[in-house]
Amino acid sequence: MNIIEYARICSKTFEEEPFNRMDALVLSQLAYTKYEAAADIVGDSQPLRDWYRGEYFDVYFSDGMTDDQNREMLAAAVASRRYRNILLCNLVSTTDESTGEQFAAMTFGLTDNLSFVSFRGTDGSLVGWKEDCRMTFRERVPAQKSAVDYINNLCANHDAGKGQVIIGGHSKGGNLAVYGAAFCDEEYQKRIVDVYSIDGPGFIEQVSDRIDRRIKAAGLNIIRIMPHNSVVGMLMESSGDYLVVKSNTIGLMQHILYTWQIEDGDLVFVDKLSLRSRYLDRTMRDWFKVATEKQRETFVMTFFGVLENADIQVLSDFQKLRFKDVVGMISEFKSCDEETAKVLEGMFKALIKSAAKQVISTEHNS
């Protein structure tokens, strides 16, 4: 069973059965649907079922990554007695090339006194991927500031913010959830029940230390969940314990929630991360740890400069590349020092492999 099937068979409302970590996964994944396309028609604070509009599907599911699965996910949720009547409100979405920001967040009103703030992970845009990489050398990227502002505004102005709040997200969304909860106003931190980082990357060392202090002072409960062969969730610095989930695929594809295994209404856990996860891409992660801020900035700007020159705008554009295009792009990395060039080439090849495996087979979803 995967989260689509789980959502489809859920029959108890949130009044009948309390929020659980499976709900965090479902609502974090539902955040990838681009509801903003229908916002002017549907309006704010409407039941999830009202957002299921086929005429907007081409925009709703346009990332070129897990679009088919995301469509099935929304269909399962609006058919579920547990999810179809929850309110989707306070929707915010920004993609700004000038500031380098890709940010989206929404609030799911679960009961009169409990809401789930869901931060969207990285979409298929080059802007989003570039902002993610900037996290490796900047203390704060625009989306992280927006996450803080979102929580503060929600709690100050929106009806959904008057009760208790759970915050979460997958991938970059998990990073934003932790950052937003750690740096939002102290009076609002008291309303936060839990914070879910679902295979979300960490932070550069100086930011991680500050976050740890803020979390401890506020008594926030951070719940980190990652797959057995986690790559993304192991990037940069993160403290605290984490739960490890069994997946039915290997490597970077385990980052996709649809591959996580579920039995008896809960995730299937294993004792610890695999050796592959703990040592995978050691060269890349070690390089980021010892590289200067200038070296990391050069890495990011060089990498994305090559992609922009090749007119790569979304992840799916990698599929259009011919072999000679790839060879030419890799050759541009040679202008950097040897170690930086090595890391650039490794990251580039990983992205190409990810793009080639966008469509998950049926057996990976069962």
Side-chain angles (χ1 to χ4, degrees), residues 39-89:
D40 290 342
I41 301 299
V42 179
D44 193 49
S45 195
Q46 298 300 320
L48 183 63
R49 63 177 187 274
D50 289 0
W51 295 85
Y52 191 73
R53 294 173 178 255
E55 64 268 33
Y56 294 102
F57 278 10
D58 286 347
V59 182
Y60 273 7
F61 312 106
S62 57
D63 283 341
M65 293 186 287
T66 55
D67 294 331
D68 291 342
Q69 290 79 17
N70 288 341
R71 186 181 297 110
E72 289 183 51
M73 182 78 248
L74 181 59
V78 298
S80 166
R81 185 168 174 263
R82 185 166 180 81
Y83 300 111
R84 65 184 176 223
N85 292 319
I86 62 175
L87 300 180
L88 195 165
C89 53

Side-chain angles (χ1 to χ4, degrees), residues 243-364:
L243 299 170
V244 183
V245 180
K246 188 175 181 181
S247 170
N248 56 21
T249 188
I250 60 174
L252 190 59
M253 294 300 287
Q254 289 199 4
H255 184 58
I256 298 173
L257 297 188
Y258 298 118
T259 72
W260 292 15
Q261 294 189 18
I262 300 168
E263 290 181 4
D264 299 324
D266 199 2
L267 294 165
V268 178
F269 294 105
V270 294
D271 291 336
K272 58 184 178 180
L273 293 167
S274 67
L275 285 174
R276 177 184 176 87
S277 179
R278 282 177 277 167
Y279 299 106
L280 183 66
D281 293 335
R282 174 63 67 183
T283 299
M284 182 181 295
R285 287 189 280 116
D286 282 354
W287 182 87
F288 273 110
K289 191 170 184 178
V290 301
T292 65
E293 180 178 328
K294 184 62 178 178
Q295 285 176 313
R296 283 178 277 164
E297 182 175 4
T298 299
F299 166 86
V300 172
M301 302 313 292
T302 301
F303 183 75
F304 285 96
V306 169
L307 298 188
E308 288 166 356
N309 290 338
D311 197 29
I312 300 295
Q313 299 298 322
V314 293
L315 188 62
S316 57
D317 286 343
F318 278 102
Q319 293 181 318
K320 300 182 295 185
L321 294 176
R322 296 168 296 178
F323 179 74
K324 67 177 185 179
D325 297 325
V326 174
V327 172
M329 293 169 75
I330 290 177
S331 68
E332 294 187 50
F333 300 147
K334 303 303 181 185
S335 60
C336 299
D337 63 83
E338 183 177 353
E339 285 301 313
T340 303
K342 183 178 180 180
V343 177
L344 281 165
E345 184 174 342
M347 186 172 181
F348 183 74
K349 289 179 178 178
L351 273 178
I352 291 179
K353 289 179 181 179
S354 296
K357 296 178 180 179
Q358 287 173 30
V359 180
I360 305 174
S361 64
T362 302
E363 58 265 29
H364 283 165

Side-chain angles (χ1 to χ4, degrees), residues 102-118:
Q102 177 258 313
F103 173 80
M106 60 207 68
T107 300
F108 293 102
L110 309 180
T111 69
D112 290 341
N113 295 306
L114 181 65
S115 300
F116 183 88
V117 171
S118 189

